[in-house]
Amino acid sequence: MLKLLLCCILATLPPQLAADGAPHTYTKPVTDFPWPEPRVWTDGIQYYSVATGIRQVMASTDLHDWGGTGVRPSEDMRRLRSMAKNFWAPDVAKVGDSWKMYLTLYNSAEDSAIGVFDSPEAGGPFTFVRKLTRSVDTGIKDTIDPELVHDPSSGENWLFFGSIGGIHRVRLDARGENVTGSYEHVAGLTIEQDYTRSKVFEGSYLHWHDGFWYLFASSGNYWDHTYRIVVGRSPSLDGEFLDKEGRRMAEGYASTVMHSDRGDRFFGPGHNGEIITDDAGQDYIFYHCHDIKIS
């Protein structure tokens, strides 16, 4: 079975190039145990991370050395097991005065949902609130991989999500617990339109930089070297996202940020988490990849 590890790399924008113009290479994962679809956040005191399977929350003070806090992300795991077979790709963000976790509750592409959880503390535990959106209600296949984005210019909260049914966005209320807008297709083709998955996107992550929102996503097959991180950008969260050639992400176009070649030890980089700037002003991007030596 392939194991997805938490990895980190120094990041610049455009992120596929180092300062000298040469591509970055992968040298060493942050973890030597599976940590797929990583999310990283901070309360200003320390950093936290959680991943698919939500076994526990990890914590770090320096982004390099991570240890388990012993806190389960949810107090309601037994009840959740009655709702879904799998728990994928959590996202954690501060909304108002509390911390929210958005989690994929997955049974199948046609029976998938995103649940919202709440905690007064950044590191949890997170208590289940409700199912926020369900594929059986919207008809959007693979209602997975949530990303909560707060727009400081408008005060609005947005949820980005999706995979083989396309990446979508929708407005949420001020508490981040209810859908208030209509669903809009933002990026990627559907699996019926592209069975190769080269133009099918998943793993949304939004990052504000120098007047633009950058929409990071992953394309290709997550189990092999075709999986890669791609990006497009828009001046607003409700606008059109374009690649560096000016082509629409909604039509399956995006600029490649990070990729691997067949035979590379670390292959299939994807589903990146946050880009975080440390106290020294250095940017880091977190993502997962396979290590061929332990796959």
Side-chain angles (χ1 to χ4, degrees):
M1 180 175 67
L2 295 174
K3 295 182 179 180
L4 290 160
L5 310 178
L6 172 66
C7 300
C8 174
I9 195 167
L10 302 181
T12 57
L13 290 173
Q16 70 270 29
L17 298 179
D20 59 1
H24 281 296
T25 57
Y26 321 126
T27 56
K28 176 180 178 293
V30 174
T31 67
D32 58 1
F33 52 85
W35 202 253
E37 287 88 47
R39 280 304 190 202
V40 178
W41 68 99
T42 181
D43 59 3
I45 300 173
Q46 63 181 343
Y47 299 96
Y48 300 91
S49 181
V50 70
T52 279
I54 57 171
R55 293 175 300 169
Q56 65 173 329
V57 174
M58 291 203 302
S60 173
T61 58
D62 60 8
L63 294 176
H64 297 279
D65 298 314
W66 294 84
T69 65
V71 174
R72 295 279 297 185
S74 173
E75 297 173 334
D76 304 316
M77 288 303 298
R78 289 184 180 177
R79 182 154 66 95
L80 289 178
R81 289 293 179 191
S82 67
M83 301 182 192
K85 299 175 182 177
N86 301 285
F87 306 101
W88 293 348
D91 178 44
V92 176
K94 191 172 186 181
V95 181
D97 295 327
S98 67
W99 293 85
K100 296 290 194 282
M101 180 173 71
Y102 300 87
L103 178 67
T104 302
L105 309 175
Y106 187 87
N107 290 309
S108 68
E110 294 76 17
D111 181 13
S112 51
I114 292 170
V116 58
F117 301 71
D118 182 79
S119 173
E121 304 294 335
F126 293 87
T127 301
F128 179 67
V129 176
R130 63 187 301 269
K131 289 184 179 180
L132 185 62
T133 182
R134 306 189 308 166
S135 59
V136 295
D137 297 327
T138 64
I140 300 172
K141 286 185 178 181
D142 261 7
T143 294
I144 68 173
D145 297 356
E147 163 77 357
L148 187 284
V149 192
H150 178 74
D151 188 347
S153 65
S154 66
E156 293 180 318
N157 295 316
W158 290 84
L159 182 73
F160 284 69
F161 68 92
S163 177
I164 64 171
I167 290 178
H168 290 71
R169 67 185 169 208
V170 67
R171 287 182 176 88
L172 305 183
D173 65 6
R175 292 179 57 84
E177 295 180 357
N178 294 279
V179 170
T180 61
S182 58
Y183 295 88
E184 302 172 330
H185 173 237
V186 179
L189 302 183
T190 67
I191 192 67
E192 291 82 7
Q193 293 170 317
D194 178 19
Y195 285 102
T196 72
R197 301 178 73 107
S198 63
K199 291 187 176 183
V200 174
F201 303 149
E202 61 187 18
S204 306
Y205 169 64
L206 278 295
H207 179 70
W208 174 259
H209 176 77
D210 199 21
F212 288 92
W213 285 100
Y214 286 79
L215 171 55
F216 290 82
S218 301
S219 68
N221 300 310
Y222 75 87
W223 55 85
D224 63 27
H225 73 281
T226 64
Y227 208 54
R228 62 183 58 209
I229 297 173
V230 298
V231 72
R233 70 180 190 177
S234 170
S236 64
L237 284 173
D238 60 353
E240 188 83 69
F241 287 85
L242 308 176
D243 72 0
K244 64 182 179 181
E245 305 298 330
R247 298 172 298 185
R248 302 174 66 231
M249 288 191 78
E251 296 176 353
Y253 294 102
S255 302
T256 297
V257 175
M258 196 180 302
H259 70 93
S260 60
D261 295 319
R262 189 186 301 273
D264 287 348
R265 175 183 171 181
F266 299 109
F267 67 94
H271 204 121
N272 64 289
E274 285 64 19
I275 295 175
I276 290 181
T277 304
D278 66 13
D279 293 338
Q282 176 62 61
D283 292 330
Y284 293 84
I285 184 171
F286 289 84
Y287 61 98
H288 69 210
C289 66
H290 302 286
D291 184 349
I292 198 170
K293 291 189 176 181
I294 62 173
S295 295

